Amino acid sequence: MSIVKDQNLAPAGRRKINWVRDFMPALGGIEARFEQEQPFAGLRVAVSVHLEAKTANLGYVLAKGGAEVRLTGSNPLSTQDDVAAGLASLGVETFGIHGVDAQGYEDLLIEALKCHPHIVIDDGGDLIDLLGGKCKEYADCLLGGCEETTTGILRLKAREKAGLLPCPMMAVNDAKAKHYYDNKYGTGQSVWDAIMHTANLVVAGKTVVVAGYGWCGKGVAMRAAGMGANVIVTEIDPFKALDATMNGFRVMPMDEAAKYGDIFVTVTGCKDVITPKHFAVMKHNAILTNAGHFDCEVDVAGLAAMAGEICGVSEPMQSGKSIRELIVELKGQLEEAGNVPVILIGHSWGAFLAALFAGAHPEMVEKLILVGCPPLTAGYVPMIGERRRRNLGPGEREEFDRLN
Protein backbone atom coordinates (compact mmCIF):
# COMPACT_ATOMS: atom_id res chain seq x y z
CA MET A 1 0.00 0.00 0.00
CA SER A 2 1.25 3.48 -0.89
CA ILE A 3 2.70 5.78 1.77
CA VAL A 4 1.97 9.45 1.06
CA LYS A 5 1.33 12.50 3.22
CA ASP A 6 -2.35 13.06 2.39
CA GLN A 7 -4.40 11.09 -0.11
CA ASN A 8 -6.86 14.01 -0.24
CA LEU A 9 -4.25 15.85 -2.32
CA ALA A 10 -4.70 13.33 -5.16
CA PRO A 11 -6.97 15.46 -7.43
CA ALA A 12 -4.43 18.29 -7.51
CA GLY A 13 -1.64 15.80 -8.19
CA ARG A 14 -3.53 14.17 -11.05
CA ARG A 15 -4.11 17.58 -12.65
CA LYS A 16 -0.36 18.21 -12.62
CA ILE A 17 0.38 14.78 -14.10
CA ASN A 18 -2.24 15.15 -16.82
CA TRP A 19 -0.95 18.60 -17.76
CA VAL A 20 2.67 17.51 -18.25
CA ARG A 21 1.65 14.49 -20.33
CA ASP A 22 0.64 16.81 -23.17
CA PHE A 23 4.19 18.19 -23.30
CA MET A 24 6.16 14.94 -23.29
CA PRO A 25 5.89 13.65 -26.88
CA ALA A 26 8.78 11.18 -26.69
CA LEU A 27 7.35 9.46 -23.66
CA GLY A 28 3.88 9.60 -25.20
CA GLY A 29 5.08 7.73 -28.27
CA ILE A 30 6.77 5.09 -26.15
CA GLU A 31 3.66 4.75 -23.98
CA ALA A 32 1.52 3.84 -26.97
CA ARG A 33 4.00 1.21 -28.04
CA PHE A 34 4.49 -0.21 -24.54
CA GLU A 35 0.76 -0.39 -23.89
CA GLN A 36 0.37 -2.55 -26.98
CA GLU A 37 3.49 -4.72 -26.58
CA GLN A 38 3.53 -5.03 -22.76
CA PRO A 39 7.36 -5.46 -22.58
CA PHE A 40 7.41 -5.37 -18.77
CA ALA A 41 4.60 -7.84 -18.16
CA GLY A 42 5.44 -9.93 -15.10
CA LEU A 43 8.34 -7.67 -14.06
CA ARG A 44 8.66 -5.69 -10.84
CA VAL A 45 10.32 -2.27 -11.19
CA ALA A 46 11.56 -0.16 -8.26
CA VAL A 47 11.95 3.53 -9.12
CA SER A 48 13.76 6.26 -7.16
CA VAL A 49 13.41 9.69 -8.79
CA HIS A 50 12.66 13.30 -7.88
CA LEU A 51 8.98 12.72 -7.24
CA GLU A 52 7.08 15.35 -9.22
CA ALA A 53 4.69 15.42 -12.16
CA LYS A 54 7.07 14.55 -14.98
CA THR A 55 8.67 11.63 -13.17
CA ALA A 56 5.26 10.45 -12.00
CA ASN A 57 4.40 10.18 -15.68
CA LEU A 58 7.40 7.90 -16.12
CA GLY A 59 6.07 5.57 -13.43
CA TYR A 60 2.64 5.63 -15.01
CA VAL A 61 4.05 4.73 -18.45
CA LEU A 62 6.01 1.83 -16.95
CA ALA A 63 2.81 0.53 -15.41
CA LYS A 64 1.02 0.88 -18.76
CA GLY A 65 3.81 -1.31 -20.18
CA GLY A 66 2.85 -4.12 -17.84
CA ALA A 67 5.27 -3.52 -14.96
CA GLU A 68 4.43 -3.75 -11.28
CA VAL A 69 5.85 -0.38 -10.26
CA ARG A 70 6.95 0.86 -6.86
CA LEU A 71 8.05 4.49 -7.01
CA THR A 72 9.74 6.60 -4.35
CA GLY A 73 11.55 9.94 -4.17
CA SER A 74 15.30 10.34 -4.60
CA ASN A 75 15.43 13.46 -2.43
CA PRO A 76 12.77 14.33 0.17
CA LEU A 77 13.17 18.05 -0.53
CA SER A 78 11.99 17.64 -4.13
CA THR A 79 9.07 15.31 -3.39
CA GLN A 80 5.70 16.91 -4.13
CA ASP A 81 3.02 15.55 -1.82
CA ASP A 82 0.11 16.22 -4.17
CA VAL A 83 1.83 14.42 -7.05
CA ALA A 84 2.68 11.46 -4.83
CA ALA A 85 -0.98 11.19 -3.84
CA GLY A 86 -2.11 11.62 -7.44
CA LEU A 87 0.17 8.87 -8.72
CA ALA A 88 -0.96 6.52 -5.98
CA SER A 89 -4.57 7.16 -6.98
CA LEU A 90 -3.68 6.10 -10.54
CA GLY A 91 -2.72 2.66 -9.28
CA VAL A 92 1.05 3.03 -8.96
CA GLU A 93 2.45 2.06 -5.55
CA THR A 94 4.04 5.30 -4.33
CA PHE A 95 6.22 6.00 -1.29
CA GLY A 96 7.04 9.66 -0.86
CA ILE A 97 6.59 12.41 1.73
CA HIS A 98 8.12 15.85 1.39
CA GLY A 99 10.67 16.88 4.01
CA VAL A 100 11.16 13.61 5.92
CA ASP A 101 14.42 13.17 7.81
CA ALA A 102 17.26 10.86 6.72
CA GLN A 103 15.81 7.80 8.45
CA GLY A 104 12.34 8.45 7.08
CA TYR A 105 13.79 8.83 3.61
CA GLU A 106 15.63 5.53 3.86
CA ASP A 107 12.51 3.80 5.17
CA LEU A 108 10.58 4.92 2.07
CA LEU A 109 13.36 3.64 -0.20
CA ILE A 110 13.22 0.26 1.53
CA GLU A 111 9.44 0.11 1.06
CA ALA A 112 10.00 0.44 -2.68
CA LEU A 113 12.49 -2.46 -2.60
CA LYS A 114 10.31 -4.88 -0.65
CA CYS A 115 8.79 -6.07 -3.93
CA HIS A 116 12.11 -7.85 -4.76
CA PRO A 117 12.49 -5.90 -8.02
CA HIS A 118 13.65 -7.28 -11.33
CA ILE A 119 14.66 -3.81 -12.56
CA VAL A 120 15.68 -0.65 -10.72
CA ILE A 121 15.55 2.93 -11.96
CA ASP A 122 17.89 4.92 -9.76
CA ASP A 123 18.60 8.64 -9.49
CA GLY A 124 21.63 9.19 -7.27
CA GLY A 125 22.45 5.57 -6.49
CA ASP A 126 20.53 5.09 -3.24
CA LEU A 127 18.54 2.01 -4.34
CA ILE A 128 21.65 0.24 -5.61
CA ASP A 129 23.51 1.22 -2.44
CA LEU A 130 20.81 -0.46 -0.34
CA LEU A 131 20.55 -3.52 -2.59
CA GLY A 132 24.30 -4.01 -2.42
CA GLY A 133 24.38 -3.44 1.34
CA LYS A 134 21.79 -3.63 4.10
CA CYS A 135 18.95 -4.79 1.81
CA LYS A 136 20.66 -7.64 -0.04
CA GLU A 137 17.70 -9.90 0.69
CA TYR A 138 15.63 -7.85 -1.79
CA ALA A 139 18.18 -8.26 -4.61
CA ASP A 140 17.49 -11.93 -5.34
CA CYS A 141 15.51 -11.27 -8.54
CA LEU A 142 17.56 -8.39 -10.00
CA LEU A 143 18.16 -8.40 -13.76
CA GLY A 144 19.59 -4.87 -14.08
CA GLY A 145 18.63 -1.25 -14.22
CA CYS A 146 19.50 2.33 -15.06
CA GLU A 147 21.15 5.29 -13.35
CA GLU A 148 20.04 8.78 -14.29
CA THR A 149 22.47 11.27 -12.79
CA THR A 150 26.19 12.04 -12.59
CA THR A 151 26.34 11.51 -8.83
CA GLY A 152 24.83 8.07 -9.20
CA ILE A 153 27.23 7.10 -12.00
CA LEU A 154 30.19 7.99 -9.77
CA ARG A 155 28.78 5.74 -7.06
CA LEU A 156 28.17 2.93 -9.56
CA LYS A 157 31.74 3.08 -10.83
CA ALA A 158 33.06 2.95 -7.28
CA ARG A 159 30.91 -0.11 -6.55
CA GLU A 160 31.96 -1.81 -9.79
CA LYS A 161 35.64 -1.19 -8.99
CA ALA A 162 35.17 -2.67 -5.52
CA GLY A 163 33.24 -5.66 -6.88
CA LEU A 164 30.10 -4.64 -5.01
CA LEU A 165 27.70 -3.90 -7.85
CA PRO A 166 24.62 -6.09 -7.27
CA CYS A 167 23.41 -6.09 -10.90
CA PRO A 168 24.24 -4.76 -14.39
CA MET A 169 23.41 -1.07 -14.81
CA MET A 170 23.06 1.29 -17.77
CA ALA A 171 24.36 4.86 -17.54
CA VAL A 172 21.45 6.77 -19.01
CA ASN A 173 23.20 9.93 -17.80
CA ASP A 174 25.62 9.40 -20.71
CA ALA A 175 22.86 9.48 -23.33
CA LYS A 176 22.72 12.56 -25.55
CA ALA A 177 19.04 12.97 -24.77
CA LYS A 178 19.97 13.30 -21.09
CA HIS A 179 23.00 15.56 -21.06
CA TYR A 180 21.93 17.83 -23.92
CA TYR A 181 18.28 18.35 -23.09
CA ASP A 182 17.89 17.65 -19.39
CA ASN A 183 21.31 18.67 -18.09
CA LYS A 184 22.40 21.54 -20.32
CA TYR A 185 19.12 23.19 -21.26
CA GLY A 186 16.84 21.94 -18.48
CA THR A 187 19.11 22.54 -15.50
CA GLY A 188 20.55 25.63 -17.16
CA GLN A 189 17.10 27.23 -17.14
CA SER A 190 15.58 25.78 -13.98
CA VAL A 191 18.46 26.84 -11.74
CA TRP A 192 17.95 30.48 -12.69
CA ASP A 193 14.17 30.18 -12.46
CA ALA A 194 14.57 29.08 -8.86
CA ILE A 195 17.24 31.62 -7.90
CA MET A 196 15.35 34.58 -9.33
CA HIS A 197 12.03 33.40 -7.89
CA THR A 198 13.57 33.06 -4.43
CA ALA A 199 16.02 35.96 -4.27
CA ASN A 200 14.13 38.41 -6.53
CA LEU A 201 17.40 39.90 -7.81
CA VAL A 202 18.65 41.10 -11.19
CA VAL A 203 21.35 38.80 -12.54
CA ALA A 204 22.80 41.27 -15.05
CA GLY A 205 26.02 42.85 -13.85
CA LYS A 206 26.60 40.34 -11.08
CA THR A 207 29.56 37.99 -10.85
CA VAL A 208 28.37 34.38 -10.96
CA VAL A 209 30.70 31.56 -9.94
CA VAL A 210 29.75 28.21 -11.47
CA ALA A 211 31.50 25.26 -9.80
CA GLY A 212 31.78 22.46 -12.34
CA TYR A 213 31.70 22.65 -16.13
CA GLY A 214 30.02 19.41 -17.04
CA TRP A 215 26.78 19.46 -19.00
CA CYS A 216 24.81 21.02 -16.12
CA GLY A 217 27.54 23.60 -15.45
CA LYS A 218 27.66 24.52 -19.12
CA GLY A 219 23.94 25.21 -19.11
CA VAL A 220 24.05 27.25 -15.90
CA ALA A 221 27.01 29.33 -17.14
CA MET A 222 25.44 29.84 -20.56
CA ARG A 223 22.17 31.14 -19.12
CA ALA A 224 23.97 33.37 -16.62
CA ALA A 225 26.04 34.93 -19.39
CA GLY A 226 22.91 35.35 -21.50
CA MET A 227 21.34 37.40 -18.71
CA GLY A 228 24.36 39.70 -18.52
CA ALA A 229 26.33 38.16 -15.66
CA ASN A 230 30.10 38.10 -15.46
CA VAL A 231 30.78 34.35 -15.21
CA ILE A 232 33.67 32.62 -13.47
CA VAL A 233 34.04 28.83 -13.74
CA THR A 234 35.88 26.58 -11.31
CA GLU A 235 36.74 23.15 -12.71
CA ILE A 236 39.31 20.46 -11.79
CA ASP A 237 39.27 18.71 -15.20
CA PRO A 238 41.84 20.53 -17.37
CA PHE A 239 40.00 19.84 -20.63
CA LYS A 240 36.68 21.10 -19.28
CA ALA A 241 38.49 24.12 -17.81
CA LEU A 242 39.99 24.85 -21.24
CA ASP A 243 36.55 24.43 -22.80
CA ALA A 244 35.16 27.03 -20.38
CA THR A 245 38.03 29.39 -21.21
CA MET A 246 37.43 29.05 -24.94
CA ASN A 247 33.74 29.75 -24.34
CA GLY A 248 34.75 33.12 -22.93
CA PHE A 249 34.58 32.47 -19.19
CA ARG A 250 37.25 33.21 -16.62
CA VAL A 251 38.54 30.02 -14.98
CA MET A 252 40.19 29.89 -11.57
CA PRO A 253 40.24 27.78 -8.37
CA MET A 254 37.44 28.26 -5.85
CA ASP A 255 40.03 29.60 -3.38
CA GLU A 256 40.42 32.60 -5.69
CA ALA A 257 36.88 32.82 -7.07
CA ALA A 258 35.32 32.94 -3.61
CA LYS A 259 36.22 36.60 -3.09
CA TYR A 260 34.67 37.73 -6.38
CA GLY A 261 31.30 35.98 -6.55
CA ASP A 262 27.90 37.53 -5.93
CA ILE A 263 26.10 34.26 -6.71
CA PHE A 264 27.61 30.77 -6.45
CA VAL A 265 26.11 27.68 -8.10
CA THR A 266 27.62 24.25 -7.41
CA VAL A 267 27.01 21.54 -10.03
CA THR A 268 29.87 19.07 -9.49
CA GLY A 269 28.40 16.02 -7.77
CA CYS A 270 31.31 16.23 -5.31
CA LYS A 271 31.49 16.93 -1.59
CA ASP A 272 32.74 20.13 0.10
CA VAL A 273 33.21 22.28 -2.98
CA ILE A 274 32.57 25.42 -0.90
CA THR A 275 33.80 25.30 2.70
CA PRO A 276 34.43 27.68 5.65
CA LYS A 277 37.71 28.93 4.22
CA HIS A 278 35.72 30.22 1.23
CA PHE A 279 32.92 31.69 3.35
CA ALA A 280 35.50 33.74 5.22
CA VAL A 281 36.51 35.75 2.14
CA MET A 282 33.12 36.12 0.44
CA LYS A 283 31.36 39.41 -0.18
CA HIS A 284 28.56 40.75 1.98
CA ASN A 285 25.25 39.25 0.74
CA ALA A 286 26.90 36.58 -1.38
CA ILE A 287 24.34 33.93 -2.38
CA LEU A 288 25.18 30.23 -2.26
CA THR A 289 23.11 27.68 -4.18
CA ASN A 290 23.46 24.01 -5.03
CA ALA A 291 22.07 22.36 -8.14
CA GLY A 292 23.80 19.02 -7.62
CA HIS A 293 21.85 15.91 -6.70
CA PHE A 294 22.76 15.93 -2.99
CA ASP A 295 23.18 18.97 -0.74
CA CYS A 296 26.77 18.09 0.21
CA GLU A 297 28.58 20.43 -2.19
CA VAL A 298 28.29 23.43 0.14
CA ASP A 299 29.33 22.83 3.74
CA VAL A 300 26.04 23.96 5.27
CA ALA A 301 27.01 22.78 8.77
CA GLY A 302 30.27 24.71 8.53
CA LEU A 303 28.38 27.83 7.45
CA ALA A 304 25.92 27.46 10.33
CA ALA A 305 28.81 27.10 12.79
CA MET A 306 30.30 30.37 11.56
CA ALA A 307 27.00 32.24 11.59
CA GLY A 308 26.29 34.85 14.22
CA GLU A 309 22.65 34.89 13.13
CA ILE A 310 20.44 32.74 10.91
CA CYS A 311 17.43 34.22 9.15
CA GLY A 312 15.34 33.85 6.00
CA VAL A 313 16.61 34.86 2.58
CA SER A 314 14.71 38.16 2.48
CA GLU A 315 15.05 39.05 6.15
CA PRO A 316 17.59 41.75 7.08
CA MET A 317 20.58 40.82 9.21
CA GLN A 318 20.93 42.76 12.44
CA SER A 319 24.69 43.10 12.12
CA GLY A 320 27.75 41.76 10.33
CA LYS A 321 28.34 40.21 6.93
CA SER A 322 25.53 38.19 5.39
CA ILE A 323 25.98 35.11 3.23
CA ARG A 324 22.58 34.06 1.94
CA GLU A 325 22.53 30.28 1.90
CA LEU A 326 19.65 29.22 -0.34
CA ILE A 327 19.96 25.45 -0.14
CA VAL A 328 17.54 25.00 2.74
CA GLU A 329 15.38 28.00 1.82
CA LEU A 330 14.68 26.68 -1.67
CA LYS A 331 13.50 23.35 -0.26
CA GLY A 332 14.53 21.38 -3.29
CA GLN A 333 13.57 23.85 -6.02
CA LEU A 334 17.09 23.75 -7.39
CA GLU A 335 16.97 20.00 -7.79
CA GLU A 336 17.18 19.73 -11.54
CA ALA A 337 14.37 17.26 -12.17
CA GLY A 338 11.95 19.15 -9.98
CA ASN A 339 11.90 22.24 -12.15
CA VAL A 340 13.23 21.24 -15.57
CA PRO A 341 10.97 22.31 -18.45
CA VAL A 342 8.54 19.53 -19.27
CA ILE A 343 9.43 18.77 -22.88
CA LEU A 344 13.14 18.49 -22.09
CA ILE A 345 12.77 15.92 -19.36
CA GLY A 346 10.31 14.10 -21.60
CA HIS A 347 13.15 13.47 -24.04
CA SER A 348 15.36 12.38 -21.15
CA TRP A 349 12.85 9.83 -19.88
CA GLY A 350 12.44 8.59 -23.43
CA ALA A 351 16.08 7.55 -23.35
CA PHE A 352 15.54 6.03 -19.93
CA LEU A 353 12.73 3.79 -21.11
CA ALA A 354 14.61 2.78 -24.24
CA ALA A 355 17.38 1.53 -21.97
CA LEU A 356 14.89 -0.28 -19.75
CA PHE A 357 13.38 -1.97 -22.77
CA ALA A 358 16.76 -3.61 -23.31
CA GLY A 359 17.06 -4.29 -19.60
CA ALA A 360 13.82 -6.23 -19.65
CA HIS A 361 15.58 -8.88 -21.71
CA PRO A 362 18.29 -10.58 -19.60
CA GLU A 363 20.09 -11.98 -22.62
CA MET A 364 20.93 -8.40 -23.65
CA VAL A 365 22.44 -7.42 -20.29
CA GLU A 366 25.64 -9.31 -19.54
CA LYS A 367 27.80 -6.75 -17.74
CA LEU A 368 27.87 -3.19 -16.47
CA ILE A 369 27.06 -1.05 -19.48
CA LEU A 370 28.42 2.45 -19.08
CA VAL A 371 27.53 3.52 -22.58
CA GLY A 372 26.51 6.60 -24.51
CA CYS A 373 23.57 7.40 -26.68
CA PRO A 374 23.37 4.91 -29.60
CA PRO A 375 21.60 2.00 -27.86
CA LEU A 376 19.55 4.38 -25.73
CA THR A 377 18.13 6.75 -28.30
CA ALA A 378 17.60 4.68 -31.43
CA GLY A 379 14.14 3.54 -30.37
CA TYR A 380 12.56 6.83 -29.42
CA VAL A 381 14.06 9.45 -31.76
CA PRO A 382 11.94 8.22 -34.71
CA MET A 383 8.84 8.59 -32.53
CA ILE A 384 9.62 12.26 -31.93
CA GLY A 385 10.21 12.78 -35.63
CA GLU A 386 6.96 11.11 -36.63
CA ARG A 387 4.95 13.27 -34.23
CA ARG A 388 6.59 16.38 -35.64
CA ARG A 389 5.96 15.19 -39.21
CA ARG A 390 2.21 14.85 -38.59
CA ASN A 391 1.96 18.60 -37.98
CA LEU A 392 3.57 19.57 -41.31
CA GLY A 393 1.92 20.38 -44.61
CA PRO A 394 2.47 18.13 -47.69
CA GLY A 395 5.36 20.22 -49.06
CA GLU A 396 6.96 20.52 -45.64
CA ARG A 397 6.68 16.77 -45.09
CA GLU A 398 8.56 16.13 -48.34
CA GLU A 399 11.40 18.38 -47.18
CA PHE A 400 11.32 16.80 -43.71
CA ASP A 401 11.63 13.32 -45.23
CA ARG A 402 14.52 14.45 -47.42
CA LEU A 403 16.44 15.83 -44.46
CA ASN A 404 15.72 12.92 -42.13
Side-chain angles (χ1 to χ4, degrees):
M1 180 177 290
S2 295
I3 300 175
V4 299
K5 184 175 183 178
D6 184 356
Q7 196 58 55
N8 292 322
L9 299 173
R14 286 195 300 270
R15 285 194 294 272
K16 285 185 177 180
I17 296 168
N18 288 334
W19 188 83
V20 300
R21 283 170 58 79
D22 285 340
F23 297 91
M24 302 176 78
L27 205 56
I30 290 174
E31 178 183 349
R33 175 179 170 182
F34 280 6
E35 189 170 11
Q36 181 179 4
E37 298 179 2
Q38 295 289 290
F40 302 115
L43 295 177
R44 297 181 295 277
V45 181
V47 184
S48 172
V49 287
H50 293 288
L51 210 172
E52 44 80 50
K54 299 177 289 294
T55 53
N57 190 28
L58 167 71
Y60 183 70
V61 170
L62 282 169
K64 296 279 273 189
E68 178 189 327
V69 180
R70 287 192 164 212
L71 191 144
T72 186
S74 62
N75 186 320
L77 294 180
S78 61
T79 294
Q80 296 181 13
D81 289 322
D82 55 350
V83 172
L87 184 61
S89 73
L90 292 173
V92 176
E93 290 288 328
T94 306
F95 308 93
I97 299 174
H98 178 86
V100 294
D101 60 18
Q103 185 58 56
Y105 169 62
E106 184 176 280
D107 291 344
L108 292 171
L109 291 172
I110 293 172
E111 286 295 329
L113 294 176
K114 286 182 178 179
C115 66
H116 297 255
H118 296 102
I119 296 173
V120 292
I121 297 179
D122 221 351
D123 185 353
D126 284 337
L127 289 184
I128 287 297
D129 191 58
L130 287 169
L131 289 168
K134 65 191 299 183
C135 293
K136 289 181 179 179
E137 68 272 23
Y138 299 134
D140 54 330
C141 298
L142 276 178
L143 300 175
C146 299
E147 171 54 52
E148 188 266 342
T149 196
T150 304
T151 301
I153 297 300
L154 293 174
R155 296 176 78 182
L156 281 184
K157 288 181 176 179
R159 278 195 162 274
E160 183 194 27
K161 186 175 181 179
L164 299 174
L165 195 64
C167 67
M169 295 290 289
M170 283 187 171
V172 173
N173 189 67
D174 292 347
K176 284 185 178 179
K178 174 62 166 63
H179 53 235
Y180 276 122
Y181 300 114
D182 188 342
N183 292 5
K184 184 177 181 181
Y185 296 107
T187 300
Q189 176 175 317
S190 64
V191 162
W192 291 106
D193 285 345
I195 290 174
M196 291 187 293
H197 177 75
T198 303
N200 194 25
L201 295 174
V202 173
V203 178
K206 289 187 170 55
T207 297
V208 172
V209 177
V210 179
Y213 203 66
W215 287 103
C216 290
K218 289 178 180 179
V220 172
M222 174 182 68
R223 295 304 182 204
M227 290 186 288
N230 170 29
V231 179
I232 296 173
V233 170
T234 71
E235 174 58 66
I236 61 172
D237 184 312
F239 288 98
K240 291 179 181 178
L242 181 59
D243 188 21
T245 300
M246 298 185 76
N247 281 324
F249 303 127
R250 285 190 290 167
V251 178
M252 61 186 72
M254 183 59 74
D255 287 357
E256 184 178 353
K259 60 189 176 186
Y260 297 119
D262 298 302
I263 301 173
F264 295 79
V265 183
T266 55
V267 276
T268 69
C270 300
K271 185 179 180 182
D272 293 337
V273 178
I274 303 179
T275 63
K277 68 177 181 179
H278 303 123
F279 304 147
V281 300
M282 286 181 178
K283 295 178 181 179
H284 176 58
N285 273 335
I287 292 176
L288 308 183
T289 68
N290 169 54
H293 183 81
F294 295 115
D295 63 352
C296 61
E297 302 193 32
V298 178
D299 184 359
V300 180
L303 179 59
M306 293 175 66
E309 181 183 356
I310 298 176
C311 64
V313 171
S314 59
E315 298 174 31
M317 297 291 285
Q318 297 302 311
S319 62
K321 182 170 73 172
S322 170
I323 297 175
R324 304 292 181 171
E325 192 279 300
L326 299 189
I327 296 174
V328 177
E329 191 75 21
L330 284 173
K331 299 189 184 302
Q333 288 184 58
L334 288 189
E335 294 294 345
E336 56 200 71
N339 208 25
V340 169
V342 176
I343 194 168
L344 300 182
I345 205 165
H347 294 345
S348 178
W349 288 131
F352 223 141
L353 287 179
L356 280 175
F357 184 75
H361 302 278
E363 70 277 7
M364 300 177 66
V365 185
E366 299 176 354
K367 59 181 180 179
L368 176 66
I369 307 175
L370 293 172
V371 294
C373 63
L376 304 183
T377 57
Y380 86 93
V381 169
M383 296 179 188
I384 300 173
E386 179 56 32
R387 283 181 166 235
R388 185 178 300 148
R389 186 178 182 276
R390 291 175 196 164
N391 295 324
L392 301 177
E396 292 174 315
R397 287 184 184 179
E398 184 177 338
E399 179 66 8
F400 180 88
D401 292 339
R402 186 184 69 81
L403 294 174
N404 292 277

